[in-house]
Amino acid sequence: MTDTLTPILTKFWDDPQSWTLATYERHDGYKALTKALEMEPQAIIDAVKDSSIRGRGGAGFPTGMKWSFMSPPDGGPRYLVVNADESEPGTCKDVPLMMANPHALIEGVIIASYAIGCEHAFIYLRGEVVHVYRRLLRAVEEARAAGHLGTDVGGKGVRVDITVHAGAGAYICGEETALLDSLEGRRGQPRLKPPFPGAAGLYARPTSVNNVESIASVPGIILEGSDWFKGMGTEKSTGFGIFSLSGHVTNPGQFEAPLGITMRELIDLAGGMRGGRKLKFWTPGGSSTPIFTEEHLDVPLDFDSVAAAGSMLGTRALQVFDETVSVVRAVARWTDFYAHESWASARRAARARGGCARS
Amino acid sequence: MSGHDASGHLHVSPESKAPYADDVLERLHADAAEVIARYPQKRSALLPLLHLVQSVDGYVTGRGVSFCADVLDLTEAEVSGVATFYTQYKRHPNGEYTVGVCTNTLCAIMGGDLIFDRVSEHLGIGHDETTDDGRITLERVECNAACDYAPVVMANWEFFDNQTPESTIGLVDDLRAGKDVVPTRGAGKVCTFKEVSRVLAGFEDGRADEGVGAGPASLLGLRIANDRGWTAPGAQGSQPSPADAKEGSK
């Protein structure tokens, strides 16, 4: 039985200089990279697959499987693109992670790049968080100076470099193919799939697009092993994640916990409802996930349990609203947002999937 | 003054097409070469180059569009098409400070709507309008990934957490008065729109080590875990051993 909270990525966020290479190294930083460079790339993919980690960006697709679905090497470039365009309303985990602990992401990018045969990785950060961009640029610079990036990573002849790219304000770029178009210097509009990025992504080359938290979780899986990871969470939603509580709780904040924790536990950790008011509704995974109410407080917050209860775990963006809030007002604002940000693209993408843009 | 109309097209004034001075153009070319070198294909440099144009001109000028088209072998129409897609690219001269009040649902309900209305009344301007002194451009912004600090205000894309109408009015008054203003989580001071645009083009300004790593809400779970002795299993969850600490301090 694991503890209720399991600080891993958040473990040293309270260090006075949590974002530096020196701090990261004091907390086992880059030991996973050293270990990974002794492994065959396929063994890294196998370890990530075996951990059963599911993507932390919302959809929950298994990360290791995504890597192994990439077209086989043909001698041309292959790309890793990190989706750091965190914009789904309510979602606020990747931004604090990159601000406080950017090296966890950088180390994960290097290991993942080595695993999938990528020599040039990209981190696509939304442009509206300038200090996070500074921290990422600095972390890449520190990692390069330490020999973790470049043409001879770790003295093993491995080539990996990272470009950190700032977007310019467009929610739709959080959709992976829109993000790729944007990274190519175009308007960020979703592409039709197939082809999937694993076959034809960035510059029409095999590409894996992964969320920040997914990639930042990779060093732990490599260093501690997939059994360690699977020792947390549930059978089908393994590991840990950052749960973001916002809104009408006494103390909003971030809680890193095994998947499967309940909203009742989290609200309790957040000091209960603000002013002792009654809970009216909440979102489990951002504003595009169907709304839950009090009757869902004991639903384990893992991918399958939340889906079975009629919503989506999404990005664990738990927005809490009390009895004073009109559901109509809240939802009207969200639909205005989606209409403004992505109406044409979302409709086209939905049609391409044979789905419906809005229910 | 250039502007935009309901069609969403980019309309630039004749003066925004006046050529760059030679020294400015020379520096732009040197910077652009550095940006282009970061990418396998040069068109990828377009977004950072538009930020770079804003770092010189304060908005996306006609000459800036021509410059990007020139260095990337694109048409001006292709560059304009991209520039008009993204909200951070300004189609008319921007204030020295963009003050963005989050009015997406959660922040709106936590006080963001009230903050926007009060600040708008105080400044006498609405969304995407700039004060007569050219200091403040007021905006409604969408979710900026800081919901645990709602209501949130961004000043030139630095975080001002847990705002009130009074605190934000104080913020805009200080910015208009030319005082240094310190974000809650960010650099040691809010830099100007042009300075921040240069950072967004990928040029470091030496401020990465300023400010906090995390604010109190980001640390809440960690603090509770530490108080209750909760840890992740295995070595990563344990405190670093003395040997590790020694090794790390070398």
Side-chain angles (χ1 to χ4, degrees), chain B residues 29-53:
Chain B
H29 274 294
D31 286 343
E34 208 175 301
V35 173
I36 291 167
R38 295 180 204 141
Y39 300 93
Q41 295 191 9
K42 64 181 178 181
R43 182 167 178 157
S44 284
L46 181 52
L47 267 63
L49 287 185
L50 287 166
H51 284 303
L52 184 68
V53 165

Side-chain angles (χ1 to χ4, degrees), chain A residues 3 11 19 126 128 131 133-135 141 163 165 167-169 182-183 186-187 203 224 228 254 329 333, chain B residues 38-39 43-44 51 81 86-88 103 113 143-144 148 158 199 204 208-210 221 231 233 236 238:
Chain A
D3 289 337
K11 188 184 155 204
W19 60 89
R126 66 182 297 186
E128 301 104 319
H131 206 53
Y133 192 42
R134 291 190 185 101
R135 291 262 162 94
E141 198 178 73
T163 295
H165 177 94
S182 180
L183 183 54
R186 301 168 196 280
R187 296 163 77 95
Y203 312 126
E224 308 291 346
W228 166 81
Q254 307 291 337
R329 180 188 171 197
R333 189 66 63 95
Chain B
R38 295 180 204 141
Y39 300 93
R43 182 167 178 157
S44 284
H51 284 303
Y86 298 92
T87 53
Q88 282 181 287
T103 55
D113 276 351
C143 185
N144 224 84
D148 44 345
E158 301 275 16
V199 176
E204 294 191 60
D209 287 338
E210 296 175 359
T231 59
Q236 282 222 343
S238 63

Side-chain angles (χ1 to χ4, degrees), chain B residues 5 12 24 33 39 73 79 83 97 110 115 125 145 166 171 179 200 215 221 224 226 237 239:
Chain B
D5 61 23
V12 292
V24 176
Y39 300 93
D73 291 327
V79 175
Y97 298 95
M110 299 299 285
I115 293 173
I125 55 174
E166 293 71 32
L171 163 68
K179 293 183 189 163
L200 292 176
I224 292 173
N226 287 344
Q239 293 301 311

Side-chain angles (χ1 to χ4, degrees), chain A:
Chain A
M1 184 68 193
T2 49
D3 289 337
T4 308
L5 297 177
T6 50
I8 295 160
L9 296 173
T10 60
K11 188 184 155 204
F12 55 89
W13 284 10
D14 57 349
D15 190 285
Q17 295 248 301
S18 62
W19 60 89
T20 63
L21 178 63
T23 302
Y24 190 58
E25 284 177 341
R26 274 203 301 282
H27 294 275
D28 293 339
Y30 291 98
K31 284 189 183 166
L33 176 61
T34 306
K35 184 173 173 184
L37 292 172
E38 299 293 334
M39 298 164 70
E40 289 299 318
Q42 186 59 45
I44 296 169
I45 297 177
D46 290 344
V48 172
K49 255 185 180 168
D50 188 49
S51 78
S52 305
I53 182 173
R54 294 169 67 170
R56 300 311 197 216
F61 191 80
T63 305
M65 212 181 286
K66 191 180 245 188
W67 293 354
S68 61
F69 283 169
M70 291 174 74
S71 299
D74 60 2
R78 304 161 67 74
Y79 295 108
L80 172 71
V81 177
V82 174
N83 185 342
D85 191 56
E86 184 167 64
S87 308
E88 171 72 9
T91 307
C92 51
K93 63 188 183 67
D94 296 336
V95 160
L97 170 60
M98 293 182 285
M99 190 184 280
N101 184 9
H103 280 285
L105 174 61
I106 304 299
E107 185 180 15
V109 168
I110 302 167
I111 295 170
S113 295
Y114 171 62
I116 65 173
C118 159
E119 296 186 347
H120 191 164
F122 294 85
I123 299 171
Y124 184 108
L125 175 70
R126 66 182 297 186
E128 301 104 319
V129 285
V130 67
H131 206 53
V132 176
Y133 192 42
R134 291 190 185 101
R135 291 262 162 94
L136 287 172
L137 289 172
R138 180 86 185 106
V140 165
E141 198 178 73
E142 282 188 307
R144 193 176 289 128
H148 301 319
L149 286 170
T151 52
D152 186 23
V153 177
K156 299 280 180 191
V158 173
R159 301 171 77 99
V160 181
D161 217 329
I162 301 176
T163 295
V164 190
H165 177 94
Y171 163 81
I172 192 65
C173 293
E175 192 282 327
E176 64 176 4
T177 60
L179 183 149
L180 293 174
D181 261 36
S182 180
L183 183 54
E184 291 181 0
R186 301 168 196 280
R187 296 163 77 95
Q189 287 172 334
R191 301 173 180 177
L192 297 178
K193 296 189 228 181
F196 289 90
L202 184 65
Y203 312 126
R205 296 294 308 165
T207 301
S208 182
V209 184
N210 294 106
N211 168 258
V212 169
E213 197 185 356
S214 308
I215 295 296
S217 298
V218 167
I221 292 169
I222 297 303
L223 192 61
E224 308 291 346
S226 48
D227 285 340
W228 166 81
F229 192 81
K230 285 189 284 191
M232 290 173 275
T234 67
E235 194 190 338
K236 289 183 174 167
S237 296
T238 57
F240 55 90
I242 300 172
F243 293 81
S244 312
L245 254 75
S246 61
H248 290 140
V249 288
T250 306
N251 304 309
Q254 307 291 337
F255 301 87
E256 195 174 13
L259 301 188
I261 193 171
T262 65
M263 189 60 163
R264 192 182 299 282
E265 291 174 280
L266 286 165
I267 291 179
D268 182 53
L269 291 170
M273 293 297 291
R274 194 174 81 172
R277 287 186 190 273
K278 199 168 149 33
L279 170 69
K280 188 165 178 180
F281 63 99
W282 54 287
T283 66
S287 58
S288 62
T289 61
I291 286 169
F292 274 172
T293 61
E294 197 170 14
E295 68 174 284
H296 304 98
L297 284 176
D298 296 311
V299 172
L301 296 173
D302 62 63
F303 291 103
D304 299 309
S305 302
V306 176
S311 188
M312 285 173 69
L313 184 64
T315 49
R316 287 153 276 122
L318 305 153
Q319 305 171 90
V320 180
F321 299 93
D322 71 17
E323 59 197 328
T324 65
V325 179
S326 156
V327 183
V328 176
R329 180 188 171 197
V331 173
R333 189 66 63 95
W334 282 324
T335 49
D336 284 350
F337 167 75
Y338 290 116
H340 174 259
E341 293 290 333
S342 58
W343 60 278
S345 316
R347 245 192 345 213
R348 192 169 56 243
R351 226 183 273 135
R353 287 194 305 269
C356 174
R358 252 187 245 150
S359 52

